Amino acid sequence: CGLEIISAASNCHKLHFNQIKLKYPVTSTRSVLWALADTESNPFMDYYHARLLPLIRERGYDFVGISVSGNSQLVSALTLAKLIKEQVPSVKHLTFGGNFITRILNNWSRPHVFFNYVDTFIRYEGECGLLALIQQLRSVGNFSTVPGLVFVEGNELKKNPPAFVPASMLPIPNFEGFITDKYFAPDLVLPLYSSRSCFAKCAFCTTPAGTNGRYRVLSTEQVLSTMRTYHQRYDVTHFSFVDETFSSTGMRNL
């Protein structure tokens, strides 16, 4: 009911538990740019001005990375990027990554207008690319060595080949600093995965296109180690597997 009341105050967007329906569709660059310029109908701007921009200034961040998994996150992510560029000069570099970003980057052949708000983009998995980007920004700034990086050099769009991350190197996610007591659930539930990507390449699915199409399975001991770590750090006993697909053998072993 609360979300219905809030939505009734505006004929531009509707708020639901699992999505925000905006006034503008996110299926074209033009409509996304309209949303960024519309200070009245863009529902994210007030929150960013009140909460996120002051937090970034207070903590003195000079690097910001934003993950965009689906097109429903694009307007909110670009809105934040635009505001940071305009109002937080301490941030010297801003990069985007994620499944949806990877898929749109693969269609670009020249510098896109989104480079007005984002310095670089990282395709596919970001563990190696993100670390290498930060290291280069702290040293000589040689972007050509950063795996998966997409950037502009002169007037030319550059796309570096991505890195392949072995399953044995995948880190245990860290939820330190997250506010975990505000979710609508009787108990805390944390996500984990037992594999990356998928062994199939179905025509209707976006997973292979966003994860380089290489399927890797974590060992049963790796998965159990993550569950033990979650339990020790966060006193959690409920888990949600977020794999793109399950290996039936792996699940039986677990």
Side-chain angles (χ1 to χ4, degrees):
C1 288
L3 291 178
E4 290 181 2
I5 293 173
I6 295 172
S7 298
S10 170
N11 60 2
C12 300
H13 51 265
K14 304 297 181 182
L15 277 66
H16 304 275
F17 270 118
N18 63 341
Q19 64 177 318
I20 298 176
K21 292 185 177 181
L22 300 175
K23 173 182 178 180
Y24 298 109
V26 294
T27 52
S28 74
T29 298
R30 177 178 296 179
S31 63
V32 170
L33 295 179
W34 283 341
L36 299 186
D38 193 340
T39 57
E40 293 186 3
S41 299
N42 189 320
F44 306 105
M45 288 191 178
D46 288 342
Y47 173 76
Y48 291 159
H49 280 295
R51 301 293 296 275
L52 278 189
L53 297 184
L55 180 66
I56 295 171
R57 294 190 194 99
E58 175 187 335
R59 298 189 178 181
Y61 293 136
D62 58 3
F63 179 95
V64 173
I66 300 176
S67 180
V68 183
S69 298
N71 64 359
S72 62
Q73 300 171 322
L74 186 59
V75 169
S76 59
L78 282 171
T79 299
L80 180 57
K82 180 175 183 289
L83 293 177
I84 289 175
K85 284 292 185 183
E86 294 173 347
Q87 302 182 31
V88 190
S90 64
V91 175
K92 306 303 181 184
H93 196 95
L94 200 152
T95 192
F96 271 23
N99 185 295
F100 180 71
I101 291 299
T102 295
R103 287 184 279 123
I104 64 173
L105 288 174
N106 288 336
N107 294 323
W108 293 359
S109 58
R110 58 181 182 272
H112 194 276
V113 67
F114 289 168
F115 276 104
N116 291 335
Y117 315 108
V118 185
D119 297 297
T120 57
F121 298 83
I122 297 178
R123 294 190 296 164
Y124 301 109
E125 296 165 321
E127 287 93 347
C128 295
L130 186 61
L131 176 60
L133 175 59
I134 293 173
Q135 291 172 335
Q136 287 301 320
L137 289 171
R138 290 177 173 175
S139 57
V140 296
N142 183 9
F143 285 176
S144 65
T145 64
V146 179
L149 193 70
V150 177
F151 61 101
V152 175
E153 189 174 75
N155 294 319
E156 186 178 355
L157 184 69
K158 300 285 188 177
K159 295 182 180 181
N160 295 344
F164 175 72
V165 185
S168 59
M169 293 179 58
L170 295 174
I172 294 177
N174 187 341
F175 295 96
E176 295 296 331
F178 279 66
I179 300 174
T180 57
D181 60 348
K182 300 296 185 182
Y183 290 92
F184 292 99
D187 294 288
L188 176 62
V189 181
L190 290 182
L192 75 160
Y193 47 80
S194 65
S195 63
R196 279 282 181 93
S197 194
C198 180
F199 49 74
K201 294 185 178 180
C202 301
F204 60 81
C205 183
T206 62
T207 292
T211 57
N212 213 15
R214 304 186 70 174
Y215 182 59
R216 285 139 293 162
V217 179
L218 280 69
S219 68
T220 302
E221 184 52 44
Q222 278 183 282
V223 180
L224 285 174
S225 177
T226 299
M227 297 171 78
R228 293 190 193 104
T229 301
Y230 281 180
H231 179 62
Q232 293 167 359
R233 289 180 181 174
Y234 314 110
D235 193 29
V236 63
T237 56
H238 294 74
F239 308 94
S240 172
F241 283 90
V242 294
D243 297 45
E244 278 84 16
T245 190
F246 277 135
S247 160
S248 57
T249 300
M251 286 295 102
R252 283 196 295 268
N253 291 340
L254 182 62

